[in-house]
Amino acid sequence: MTTFQETRPSAAAKPVRWAADAVAVMREGARLRLDYSAQSLWRVDRVIDEMRRDEVPYAAVEKALRGFGAYAGEVIVRQAGGEWWASGGEHWLRTPDGRLWDPVDEARRCFLGDGSLRLLCREAMAAAAKSTQ
């Protein structure tokens, strides 16, 4: 059980920076433009899939995965009205329907072959849309 929670802006500071770093690295290194749209998560999932297929060691991509997860979280924040929450050094999102999401962990799961940032975003956006109807 979490006893202390922070809301935006303090809880968002680190994930927003991680996401911006991922956008910059993808633009400069891979020549991919990430625009914080739900569609851009297709590209992120493909990049993670390529890293897995190339058998890159987890330790070598850990920070990149954190950045990709934070990027997906920022897509959800911007598209579905979610907000970052933090406790004990962990960061997650809460969408307007009250559900909690962990996009950073989802990026790790993608790397292990058992996740999708695109699908996480789609599910979070659908849940948020239902709560406003």
Side-chain angles (χ1 to χ4, degrees):
M1 175 136 215
T2 302
T3 56
F4 174 75
Q5 296 175 337
E6 304 172 33
T7 59
R8 214 170 171 89
S10 59
K14 287 182 181 179
V16 168
R17 186 176 65 241
W18 298 333
D21 289 348
V23 168
V25 166
M26 293 303 292
R27 182 181 59 241
E28 299 301 320
R31 301 275 188 233
L32 290 175
R33 188 176 187 291
L34 300 178
D35 60 2
Y36 293 95
S37 68
Q39 295 81 13
S40 68
L41 293 173
W42 280 92
R43 285 175 255 160
V44 175
D45 275 349
R46 281 197 316 258
V47 168
I48 294 171
D49 191 45
E50 287 173 19
M51 291 187 307
R52 182 181 65 255
R53 278 185 283 144
D54 290 343
E55 298 180 1
V56 178
Y58 177 79
V61 296
E62 186 174 5
K63 286 184 181 178
L65 294 173
R66 181 183 69 188
F68 291 147
Y71 173 78
E74 272 300 293
V75 170
I76 295 167
V77 166
R78 295 174 186 204
Q79 302 292 322
E83 62 182 344
W84 284 104
W85 287 67
S87 178
E90 297 293 320
H91 294 82
W92 66 92
L93 292 172
R94 189 178 82 180
T95 48
D97 63 340
R99 289 183 63 184
L100 296 175
W101 308 86
D102 190 343
V104 174
D105 186 58
E106 188 69 14
R108 293 179 192 121
R109 291 181 57 227
C110 289
F111 184 71
L112 297 174
D114 186 35
S116 169
L117 294 173
R118 175 185 57 85
L119 294 178
L120 175 81
C121 181
R122 186 171 75 182
E123 186 178 345
M125 290 174 61
K130 281 183 185 177
S131 73
T132 61
Q133 293 178 345

